[in-house]
């Protein structure tokens, strides 16, 4: 790559660093995480290749951003151990600021993914919201809510408070975080055995802007199982019939879920008059 070759020859030239950074971000954006990680790595080691006299603010900022980019790529490739180590090093060696704050957030999401909720909360506390970007502040708020839910505690924010804040994220991030928020808050309602609240959330989501992006089939089936356990067969059939359009969906992130429950419910609906004699 021309930019990489130029940087290796003259790493203190800000123009070559900018070229390499553009290339790395493009590779990351189109999903070539392995190539992007390798490109970010070339930028991240420039502080070792450049003397203190040659180092410029541009290069040092690029090193920080490249180190973060490398961590994101490692996460995307499910290289959790390597990403965890890199984020830890950033949080230990960088001064408080945007780079360290984003690294702390990424570091917290790794702990959350691995079920280490207390550690995830500790890592989130490293984020300096006063120096974080608005996008990162929204992600941190969402993560804090999801951690509380995962711990069996009520979330500090409501779904209606969080959803409008997603608008400042990129298109791909909006979809990702909408799924996480809906799924997290739905799980909280399930923890509380709030069947009516679960149904209301499904109804609202089915008429909202993310309807094609949410696992509404899985949510409907989870609700149906709860209804069956708490309210019996007749209410279960009513729930299945009410959400039949979602359960029978052929599109969406969980469109491949088995329709057998719906088929069974249809048969039960046909037999309901006879079954009710024995209930």
């Amino acid at each position: 790559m021309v930019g990489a070759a130029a940087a290796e020859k003259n790493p203190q030239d800000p123009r070559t660093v900018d070229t390499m950074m553009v290339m790395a971000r493009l590779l990351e954006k189109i999903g070539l995480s392995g190539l992007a990680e390798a490109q970010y790595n070339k930028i991240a080691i420039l502080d070792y290749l450049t003397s203190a006299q040659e180092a410029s603010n541009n290069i040092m900022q690029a090193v920080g951003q490249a180190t973060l980019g490398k961590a994101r790529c490692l996460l995307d490739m499910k290289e959790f151990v390597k990403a965890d180590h890199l984020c830890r090093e950033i949080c230990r060696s960088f001064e408080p600021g945007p780079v360290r704050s984003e690294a702390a957030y990424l570091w917290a999401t790794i702990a959350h993914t691995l079920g280490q909720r207390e550690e995830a909360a500790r890592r989130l506390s490293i984020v300096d919201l006063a120096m974080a970007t608005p996008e990162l502040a929204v992600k941190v708020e969402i993560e804090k809510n999801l951690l509380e839910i995962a711990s069996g505690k009520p979330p500090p924010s409501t779904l209606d408070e969080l959803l409008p804040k997603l608008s400042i994220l990129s298109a791909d991030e909006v979809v990702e975080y909408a799924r996480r928020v809906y799924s997290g808050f739905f799980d909280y309602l399930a923890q509380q055995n709030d069947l009516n609240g679960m149904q209301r959330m499904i109804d609202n989501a089915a008429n909202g802007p993310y309807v094609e992006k949410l696992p509404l089939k899985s949510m409907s089936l989870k609700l149906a199982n709860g209804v069956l356990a708490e309210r019996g067969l007749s209410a279960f059939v009513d729930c299945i019939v009410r959400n039949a359009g979602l359960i029978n969906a052929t599109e969406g992130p969980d469109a491949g879920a088995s329709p057998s429950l719906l088929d069974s419910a249809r048969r039960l609906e046909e037999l309901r008059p006879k079954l009710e004699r024995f209930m």
Side-chain angles (χ1 to χ4, degrees):
M1 294 181 180
V2 176
E8 291 171 0
K9 184 177 180 180
N10 189 20
Q12 71 270 25
D13 188 344
R15 293 172 298 178
T16 61
V17 176
D18 290 342
T19 299
M20 294 173 70
M21 184 63 79
V22 169
M23 192 179 303
R25 286 172 173 162
L26 177 60
L27 290 169
E28 181 184 3
K29 184 175 182 179
I30 62 178
L32 298 176
S33 299
L35 293 175
E37 188 268 335
Q39 188 71 4
Y40 278 129
N41 192 54
K42 293 177 181 179
I43 306 169
I45 65 173
L46 286 180
D47 59 336
Y48 297 104
L49 302 176
T50 308
S51 68
Q53 291 78 16
E54 294 173 328
S56 66
N57 287 335
N58 181 75
I59 289 178
M60 298 315 297
Q61 290 175 7
V63 166
Q65 290 299 324
T67 307
L68 271 178
K70 181 178 178 179
R72 289 195 303 269
C73 292
L74 289 171
L75 275 176
D76 188 60
M77 295 186 291
K78 311 299 182 187
E79 296 278 359
F80 295 120
V81 174
K82 292 181 180 180
D84 187 274
H85 176 75
L86 185 56
C87 289
R88 181 175 69 248
E89 289 305 310
I90 295 173
C91 290
R92 288 179 175 177
S93 60
F94 278 69
E95 295 293 325
V99 170
R100 186 185 180 200
S101 291
E102 185 174 346
Y105 167 74
L106 295 176
W107 198 24
T109 63
I110 295 171
H112 192 177
T113 299
L114 299 178
Q116 302 167 358
R117 293 191 292 270
E118 291 185 3
E119 177 61 13
R122 185 193 72 81
R123 294 175 182 183
L124 275 183
S125 69
I126 301 174
V127 177
D128 185 348
L129 292 177
M131 305 183 74
T133 64
E135 293 83 359
L136 181 59
V138 169
K139 294 176 183 179
V140 169
E141 183 178 1
I142 290 172
E143 200 69 28
K144 287 181 177 179
N145 277 271
L146 296 180
L147 280 172
E148 291 295 293
I149 290 172
S151 301
K153 302 174 183 178
S157 305
T158 67
L159 187 65
D160 289 339
E161 289 172 338
L162 289 179
L163 289 178
K165 298 179 180 181
L166 298 181
S167 62
I168 68 171
L169 303 180
S170 68
D172 290 341
E173 288 178 329
V174 166
V175 172
E176 174 191 351
Y177 283 90
R179 287 177 184 169
R180 294 188 66 204
V181 169
Y182 270 102
S183 296
F185 276 75
F186 191 78
D187 286 345
Y188 176 71
L189 293 174
Q191 292 171 11
Q192 304 302 307
N193 204 28
D194 185 353
L195 301 177
N196 292 333
M198 293 167 74
Q199 183 64 68
R200 284 195 298 272
M201 182 178 289
I202 290 172
D203 291 340
N204 291 337
N207 292 291
Y210 310 113
V211 57
E212 296 180 357
K213 308 298 183 180
L214 299 176
L216 294 179
K217 175 181 286 189
S218 299
M219 292 165 66
S220 299
L221 294 176
K222 185 172 185 176
L223 170 61
N225 285 328
V227 168
L228 178 61
E230 293 295 321
R231 299 178 181 174
L233 183 59
S234 183
F236 164 77
V237 173
D238 289 338
C239 177
I240 290 292
V241 171
R242 175 173 179 171
N243 297 307
L246 299 174
I247 295 173
N248 204 34
T250 58
E251 298 181 356
D254 57 353
S258 172
S260 59
L261 189 59
L262 180 58
D263 294 337
S264 299
R266 286 171 175 160
R267 180 59 178 157
L268 288 170
E269 177 69 8
E270 296 172 2
L271 297 174
R272 176 160 27 188
K274 295 180 180 179
L275 289 170
E276 287 178 344
R277 299 175 189 173
F278 302 97
M279 296 170 62

